[in-house]
Each structure stands twice: as structure tokens, then as C-alpha cells.
């Protein structure tokens, strides 16, 4: 876990270096010793996350006044990379709260902030972001979950959400549903729904290839009544709120990819210096050196892209282009880096006796969730053509 990458090249302040070191120490002491067991058992890391919350490593970008850590997007990326280098399943479980609470922060009133963000952040509870559906993943505007206004002004929600992170343990859901499906994205609304609401059914924890300890379930809504005061923003503003949320969350997701890639690189570099073939360390062979060189280059490039997008967001600027580039590049890079790490380990890398096969399985999800690498390319191209 000792990073080979230099903080100095990113101009970190003393406070940022201390924050990064605290997150790294937590990952080394609390996450790494349990990562293989959690992966094997697919067990949700509740106790680890409880300790992280006590240290202020949860709800990173939520305001301190509401119980969050109050970090900038830049500093949140520093923390997230360290946590993900320990285990990306744990990292995803932790970052999911920011994903679920940010729509409320962006579109809600101050009264809604106090009602829906503060209890989750202060009490160490979980919240889930419910956008994806069985038939609507990349096509977010095509969601079929409906919100029909009743005579008393409340809404009745019907539909199913799929691949919901922390869905089985959440106390609260941020749900996107359509009040007018023919209007597509212009008909989408954002609601906060307590998990205890009658009519909600949680599916089983998915048996995933990677990031197995991160709780992932299907959530069904059957005539779930939601008060009008739980509508975030106005009717029809849900899609815009969701997209702005993803712009903010993608640097954090990119940091998870960097954490995975960095862990794989460090394992591979160390092994290349220890493993002997033909009477010398395999790191002396050009074929291995080239792989390590490409790994490190991708990590440095990905981190620069990610922190640049975070810096723009912190300055209040639009970063749709930059955050999509960061997410796309780091996700694809993590897959390349972990695949090459397994290759450097050879047959041993293909076994569970060494950590790189887990990292390779974990990395694949980065190319899929929060917008596939293909969708990111569409976003990037549209931004380029628009400007």
C-alpha cells in the first residue's frame, strides 16, 4: 500500500497530505486485512464503514453543518483513491452516500437539507441513488418508474430500480421517476423515499464478479406513497438534477479506478523485483518494463485528469467534459493495468493466493457503472461539438 506516486507533483498542502495519509492508514489497517475475506463472502463491510464514519471519511462532499465532512471535490478524490486502493467494494459502498445525497444538496431547499441529508450524515446511515432500471441503464431518459399525483397532492410511485448500491442496507432512497413518460427526460422527477415506506420490496444481493462486498440489489416500488414535500426541485427537473449529480460524482468514481490501478501497479512492481526467471528478476526484462511504464503513465495521466475536473467543480465551473474524460480514461486504464498486473504475476496472478485477480475483477465494473465508457465517449463528443 505504500504509494510509489509523489504528492509533490500535485502540489498538495500539508493539510491535504495529512488527510491523504489518514485515509491511507485507515485503508492499510482496517480494509486491506479484510479485503479478501469480504470478497470471498460477499459480506457488506458495515463495521469498517462505521469506523470510517467516525473518522470523517464518509459523506465527503456534504456540508459539515449537515454532518458531512465538508471536503472539496479535490480533497474527496484524494481520500477516495486511498480507500479504493484498499478495496474498491468498500470504497464504492462509502462513496454511494455522496451519490445519493448530492441530488438533495443540489436541488433541495435548506429545510429538505436538514430533513434528508443531516440525519443520514450525522447518524452514519446509508442512502441509495435509484436511477437505473432493468430496461433503462445508459438510456436514463427512458426510465419507466412512474410518479402519479394523487388527489391529496402526494405521489404514487410504481416501478423497479436495478443495480442499486447499498439498496439492501439504506435507510433512504433518492428515486427518479417520471410524471409524464411521453416527455422523456423533461418528465422525470426526483423524490426522497424512506426505505420503511409501505410498498417497497428489496431484492437479493447480486452475486457479482467484482466489488462483491458492495451491497447491490433490485428495489421495487408498488404504489409507494410519497408526500409532495419529498419532491426535490420541481416536476420535470429530475433529469437535470441527476446529470449534475453525475458530473460531481464522476471524479470520485475516477478516483476509485485510480485506487484499483495503483494497487495493481504496486503489487506488480514489487513482484517484478522479486520473481526470478532465467537467473534474474523479471523486472529486468524489457517486456515487463514496458508494461510497468505504461501502467505508471496511465495512473499519472488519469490522476491529472481527475483532479483537474475536481478543481473546476470546486471553482463553480462546468466540468461535464472534464469529468467524463476522467471517468472514461481511468476506467479503461484500470482494466488495462489490472490485466497487465495479472500477466506479470503469470500463473500465480490467476489464483486467489495473490491479490491481482481480485483487482482485475473489481476494475471491470468501472467501465460499466455511472455511465459506461461508451456513454462517456458520447458525452465527450457532444460537449466538443456543442462548444
Amino acid at each position: 500500500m505504500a504509494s510509489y506516486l509523489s504528492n509533490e507533483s500535485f502540489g498538495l498542502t500539508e493539510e491535504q497530505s495529512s488527510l491523504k495519509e489518514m485515509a491511507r492508514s485507515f485503508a492499510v489497517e482496517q480494509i486491506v486485512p479484510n479485503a479478501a475475506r469480504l470478497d470471498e463472502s460477499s459480506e457488506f463491510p458495515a463495521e469498517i464503514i462505521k469506523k470510517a464514519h467516525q473518522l470523517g471519511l464518509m459523506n465527503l462532499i456534504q456540508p459539515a453543518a449537515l454532518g458531512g465532512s465538508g471536503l472539496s471535490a479535490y480533497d474527496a478524490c484524494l481520500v477516495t483513491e486511498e480507500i479504493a486502493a484498499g478495496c474498491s467494494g468498500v470504497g464504492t459502498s462509502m462513496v454511494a452516500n455522496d451519490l445519493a445525497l448530492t441530488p438533495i444538496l443540489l436541488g433541495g431547499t435548506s429545510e429538505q437539507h436538514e430533513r434528508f441529508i443531516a440525519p443520514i450524515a450525522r447518524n452514519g446511515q446509508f442512502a441509495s441513488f435509484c436511477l437505473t432500471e432493468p430496461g433503462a441503464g445508459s438510456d436514463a431518459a427512458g426510465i419507466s418508474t412512474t410518479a402519479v399525483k394523487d388527489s391529496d397532492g402526494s405521489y404514487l410511485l410504481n416501478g423497479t430500480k436495478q443495480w442499486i448500491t447499498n439498496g439492501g442496507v439504506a435507510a433512504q432512497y433518492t428515486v427518479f421517476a417520471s410524471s409524464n413518460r411521453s416527455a422523456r427526460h423533461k418528465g422525470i422527477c426526483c423524490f426522497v423515499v424512506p426505505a420503511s415506506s409501505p410498498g417497497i420490496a428489496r431484492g437479493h444481493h447480486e452475486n457479482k464478479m467484482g466489488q462483491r462486498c458492495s451491497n447491490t440489489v433490485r428495489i421495487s416500488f408498488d404504489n409507494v406513497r410519497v408526500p409532495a414535500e419529498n419532491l426535490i426541485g420541481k416536476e420535470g427537473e429530475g433529469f437535470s438534477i441527476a446529470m449534475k449529480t453525475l458530473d460531481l460524482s464522476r471524479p470520485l468514481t475516477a478516483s476509485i479506478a485510480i485506487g484499483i490501478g495503483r494497487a495493481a501497479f504496486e503489487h506488480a512492481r514489487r513482484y517484478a523485483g522479486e520473481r526470478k526467471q532465467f537467473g534474474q528478476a523479471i523486472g529486468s526484462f524489457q517486456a515487463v518494463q514496458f508494461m510497468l511504464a505504461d501502467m505508471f503513465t496511465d495512473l499519472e495521466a488519469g490522476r491529472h485528469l481527475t483532479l483537474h475536473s475536481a478543481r473546476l467543480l470546486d471553482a463553480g465551473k462546468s466540468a461535464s467534459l472534464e469529468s467524463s474524460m476522467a471517468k472514461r480514461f481511468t476506467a479503461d486504464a484500470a482494466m488495462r493495468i489490472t490485466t497487465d498486473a495479472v500477466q506479470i504475476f503469470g500463473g500465480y496472478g490467476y489464483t486467489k493466493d495473490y491479490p491481482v485477480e481480485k483487482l482485475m475483477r473489481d476494475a471491470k465494473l468501472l467501465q460499466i457503472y455511472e455511465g459506461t465508457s461508451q456513454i462517456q465517449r458520447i458525452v465527450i463528443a457532444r460537449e466538443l461539438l456543442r462548444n
Side-chain angles (χ1 to χ4, degrees):
M1 281 289 293
S3 177
Y4 188 71
L5 306 175
S6 169
N7 288 344
E8 287 74 15
S9 64
F10 292 89
L12 300 188
T13 65
E14 184 176 340
E15 290 78 13
Q16 288 172 326
S17 294
S18 296
L19 177 66
K20 188 175 174 70
E21 186 55 41
M22 180 182 72
R24 179 176 301 167
S25 296
F26 180 82
V28 170
E29 295 167 10
Q30 300 294 332
I31 299 177
V32 172
N34 295 293
R37 175 182 61 80
L38 292 171
D39 175 67
E40 189 69 26
S41 66
S42 199
E43 174 190 345
F44 183 70
E47 287 304 311
I48 292 174
I49 296 178
K50 181 179 179 180
K51 293 176 182 177
H53 177 260
Q54 292 169 348
L55 286 174
L57 298 175
M58 283 280 290
N59 309 301
L60 297 174
I61 61 175
Q62 304 309 309
L66 297 174
S69 297
L71 296 183
S72 64
Y74 192 100
D75 290 357
C77 288
L78 300 179
V79 170
T80 301
E81 177 186 330
E82 298 301 331
I83 298 299
C87 175
S88 59
V90 175
T92 291
S93 299
M94 290 170 59
V95 169
N97 258 28
D98 273 312
L99 179 62
L101 297 178
T102 296
I104 307 168
L105 186 65
L106 292 175
T109 63
S110 49
E111 187 272 336
Q112 288 175 323
H113 293 170
E114 286 291 342
R115 273 205 301 138
F116 299 132
I117 296 177
I120 297 293
R122 288 172 183 156
N123 300 327
Q125 295 178 310
F126 297 99
S128 291
F129 181 84
C130 300
L131 177 64
T132 301
E133 298 183 356
S138 296
D139 180 17
I143 62 173
S144 59
T145 297
T146 57
V148 177
K149 204 164 191 177
D150 205 1
S151 57
D152 63 358
S154 64
Y155 295 83
L156 291 176
L157 266 57
N158 284 279
T160 301
K161 297 296 180 177
Q162 184 72 21
W163 317 120
I164 305 305
T165 302
N166 292 350
V169 297
Q172 176 178 292
Y173 301 121
T174 303
V175 182
F176 295 87
S178 179
S179 61
N180 180 2
R181 289 197 63 197
S182 63
R184 291 208 24 108
H185 71 278
K186 293 182 180 179
I188 295 175
C189 308
C190 177
F191 299 92
V192 176
V193 184
S196 58
S197 302
I200 293 179
R202 310 184 189 196
H204 66 274
H205 172 47
E206 300 288 349
N207 187 12
K208 307 191 298 289
M209 178 173 80
Q211 300 199 22
R212 289 170 50 77
C213 72
S214 174
N215 180 263
T216 308
V217 302
R218 174 182 289 202
I219 307 290
S220 297
F221 301 88
D222 183 9
N223 282 326
V224 176
R225 188 172 296 278
V226 181
E229 57 265 29
N230 286 31
L231 172 68
I232 302 301
K234 298 177 182 177
E235 284 193 12
E237 291 182 347
F239 187 81
S240 174
I241 291 171
M243 295 304 105
K244 290 176 182 176
T245 297
L246 291 173
D247 283 348
L248 278 167
S249 70
R250 278 173 182 149
L252 296 179
T253 308
S255 295
I256 293 176
I258 295 167
I260 294 173
R262 195 190 85 198
F265 166 76
E266 289 169 352
H267 286 302
R269 183 175 63 90
R270 189 178 306 112
Y271 188 78
E274 297 170 352
R275 173 68 167 167
K276 299 290 198 306
Q277 289 288 277
F278 306 102
Q280 54 190 311
I282 62 172
S284 66
F285 301 131
Q286 192 177 69
V288 174
Q289 291 174 353
F290 280 9
M291 283 192 282
L292 292 172
D294 287 347
M295 288 177 179
F296 188 75
T297 301
D298 281 351
L299 285 171
E300 286 282 287
R303 189 181 284 102
H304 276 285
L305 274 172
T306 300
L307 294 180
H308 174 59
S309 66
R311 192 180 288 112
L312 288 174
L313 290 167
D314 288 334
K317 298 179 180 179
S318 172
S320 295
L321 173 64
E322 291 81 3
S323 64
S324 286
M325 288 195 298
K327 201 274 183 181
R328 200 288 301 165
F329 182 86
T330 57
D332 292 348
M335 198 68 242
R336 289 193 301 270
I337 291 167
T338 54
T339 301
D340 281 349
V342 171
Q343 190 70 21
I344 288 172
F345 272 77
Y348 293 108
Y350 201 65
T351 71
K352 293 183 182 292
D353 294 332
Y354 291 84
V356 288
E357 64 84 28
K358 174 186 179 296
L359 293 167
M360 182 178 174
R361 288 187 286 108
D362 288 347
K364 185 59 196 173
L365 185 56
L366 272 300
Q367 294 179 306
I368 298 171
Y369 72 175
E370 289 202 41
T372 65
S373 291
Q374 289 70 33
I375 284 294
Q376 301 309 325
R377 287 174 169 88
I378 291 174
V379 174
I380 293 164
R382 284 177 178 170
E383 287 295 316
L384 293 175
L385 293 171
R386 180 182 297 124
N387 293 327

